[in-house]
Amino acid sequence: MFKFFKILLFGFLGLIYFSSIVLSEEEKIKIGLLVPMTGKNQDLGQQIIKSTRIALKDINSEKLEIYPKDTNSNPSKTIRSAIELKNMGVKIIIGPIFYKSLLYLDEIKDITFLSFTNKTLDLPENIISAGINATSQLNTIKKFIELNKIEKTIFLTPKVNYESEIKESLKKSKIKILKYYNYDTEPTKLTAQIEKITNYKIRKQNLEDEISRVENSELIDKDKQLEKLKKIYTIGNVNFDSVIISDFDESLKSVITSLLYTDVSPKKKYFISFNQWFDESILSEETIQPIYYPSINRKNLINFENKFQKEFNEFPSYLALLSYDLIGLIYYLSLKGGEIDISRLFKEESSFKGKIGIFDIQNNKINHRLNFYKIENNEIKKIF
């Protein structure tokens, strides 16, 4: 017998209609907001506050009240603010933004924190990671690999502090990986490692040996063959069809550049990266294209950016969009079970459709069903 469970999907438009249902007279839903309102990240904090204002306006319900408190991107300040919110009767808090700010929050009972972090390992029971985590991205990559019947995939990840997170997520995704490699981000070390991974020296030697063989031969078309050989860089193929690179920004470009140097081209192999948030700088570098990656719904992001710019005359970060969705998620859960039951509802199996995409909620975890994109010929194209 197939397991049956109900999945309810609500967009914000649906939430607005749903808000017209007569609700029982109960206390307002107090939502805490832990963001940096002072310090070097205060602009980001202000954007998140502004985003929640847009969400409240769109939901148009008097049930919701938002109480912002400063974290100063500091764990000590964060817990002091969290205690203040608890004393005000707040039971659910959006934030904090940064993983380091979670340090002392396990000391606060009876409050659920929806943190913006994308790290999921070793989190206290009262903290739910709402960021675009590695599991969500790898699940989407797996779908692409299966749709294209890619059989030989290698995985490259830098030697950084989130490596254990990547490994655990890779295990959960059950992607079939031919080989897993760690690499140094220092350029000279990186190039040497990529040479080894792609058997570059052997393939280069194969070319030199073939040139020597033809030069010493008595072939009728010797000159023609030599001219042809001089137009290539190596002889021999690499033992993979696709490469997943769990890296970002300039470091990602360095890895791809090293692959190009070893004569491994994205025109012949699938180059798949983690979420690049539609990085404009990649668009201008046609030599490293096509690149494939999972991300949030781009159309919804653009619509939100336009709305935010119209309202506040500034360009929002993706965290602003996430905070917008989290307000809607809390409201949706409150309609299902009331404020007291929100924490319990995060342990149940349900889904919520926001601007970012679909949130899958189960066992105090949030995963995202992401879209998949390709950058090619200086354009971003949606695959699914």
Coordinates of all heavy atoms in Angstrom, one line a residue, residues 42 45 58 94 124 145 157 187 236 255 266 278 293 324 330 348 352:
Q42 N 24.6 45.6 8.9 CA 23.3 46.2 9.2 C 22.5 46.5 7.9 O 21.2 46.4 8.0 CB 23.5 47.5 10.0 CG 24.3 48.6 9.3 CD 24.4 49.9 10.1 OE1 23.5 50.3 10.8 NE2 25.6 50.4 10.1
G45 N 20.5 43.4 7.3 CA 19.5 43.3 8.3 C 18.3 44.2 7.9 O 17.1 43.8 8.0
D58 N 1.3 42.1 1.7 CA 0.7 41.2 0.8 C -0.2 40.2 1.4 O -1.3 39.8 0.9 CB 1.8 40.4 0.0 CG 2.6 41.3 -1.0 OD1 2.1 42.4 -1.2 OD2 3.6 40.8 -1.5
I94 N 12.4 34.4 13.2 CA 13.1 34.3 11.9 C 14.5 34.8 12.1 O 14.7 36.0 12.6 CB 12.4 35.1 10.8 CG1 11.0 34.4 10.5 CG2 13.2 35.1 9.5 CD1 10.2 35.2 9.5
P124 N 21.0 22.4 16.9 CA 20.1 22.1 18.1 C 18.7 21.9 17.6 O 18.3 22.3 16.5 CB 20.2 23.4 18.9 CG 21.5 24.0 18.5 CD 21.7 23.7 17.1
I145 N 21.0 14.8 -13.8 CA 21.9 13.7 -14.2 C 21.0 12.5 -14.7 O 21.3 11.9 -15.7 CB 22.8 13.2 -13.0 CG1 23.9 14.3 -12.8 CG2 23.4 11.9 -13.3 CD1 24.7 14.0 -11.5
T157 N 35.4 19.1 -4.6 CA 35.0 20.1 -3.6 C 36.3 20.6 -3.0 O 37.3 19.9 -2.8 CB 34.2 19.4 -2.5 OG1 33.6 20.3 -1.6 CG2 34.9 18.3 -1.7
P187 N 46.1 28.6 -6.4 CA 46.1 28.3 -7.8 C 47.1 27.3 -8.3 O 46.8 26.4 -9.1 CB 46.4 29.7 -8.4 CG 45.9 30.7 -7.4 CD 46.1 30.0 -6.1
G236 N 43.4 11.4 -26.2 CA 42.9 10.5 -25.2 C 41.8 11.2 -24.4 O 41.9 12.5 -24.2
V255 N 38.7 26.7 -10.9 CA 38.6 25.3 -11.2 C 38.3 25.0 -12.7 O 38.9 24.2 -13.3 CB 37.6 24.6 -10.3 CG1 37.4 23.2 -10.7 CG2 37.9 24.8 -8.8
P266 N 33.8 22.4 -21.4 CA 32.4 22.3 -21.1 C 31.5 22.1 -22.3 O 30.3 21.7 -22.2 CB 32.1 23.7 -20.4 CG 33.1 24.6 -20.9 CD 34.3 23.7 -21.1
F278 N 22.6 33.3 -10.1 CA 22.5 34.1 -11.3 C 23.6 35.1 -11.4 O 23.4 36.3 -11.8 CB 21.2 34.7 -11.5 CG 20.0 33.7 -11.3 CD1 19.2 33.8 -10.2 CD2 19.8 32.7 -12.2 CE1 18.2 32.9 -9.9 CE2 18.8 31.7 -11.9 CZ 18.0 31.9 -10.8
Y293 N 23.5 24.6 -13.2 CA 23.4 24.7 -11.7 C 22.0 24.8 -11.2 O 21.1 25.3 -11.9 CB 24.2 25.9 -11.1 CG 23.8 27.2 -11.6 CD1 22.8 28.0 -10.9 CD2 24.4 27.8 -12.7 CE1 22.5 29.2 -11.2 CE2 24.0 29.1 -13.1 CZ 23.0 29.8 -12.4 OH 22.6 31.1 -12.7
Y324 N 10.9 37.0 3.1 CA 9.5 37.2 2.6 C 8.7 35.9 2.6 O 7.6 35.8 3.1 CB 9.6 37.8 1.2 CG 8.3 38.0 0.5 CD1 7.6 39.2 0.5 CD2 7.7 37.0 -0.3 CE1 6.4 39.4 -0.1 CE2 6.5 37.1 -1.0 CZ 5.8 38.4 -0.9 OH 4.7 38.6 -1.5
I330 N 5.1 30.9 8.0 CA 4.6 30.9 9.4 C 3.1 31.1 9.4 O 2.4 30.5 10.1 CB 5.4 32.0 10.2 CG1 6.8 31.6 10.4 CG2 4.7 32.2 11.5 CD1 7.7 32.7 11.0
E348 N 6.0 17.6 11.1 CA 5.1 16.9 10.2 C 5.6 17.0 8.8 O 6.5 17.7 8.4 CB 3.7 17.4 10.4 CG 3.1 17.1 11.8 CD 1.7 17.6 11.9 OE1 1.2 18.2 11.0 OE2 1.1 17.4 13.0
F352 N 5.1 23.8 1.2 CA 4.6 25.2 1.1 C 5.2 25.8 -0.1 O 6.4 25.7 -0.4 CB 5.0 26.0 2.4 CG 4.9 27.5 2.2 CD1 3.6 28.1 2.3 CD2 6.0 28.3 1.9 CE1 3.5 29.5 2.2 CE2 5.9 29.7 1.8 CZ 4.6 30.3 1.9

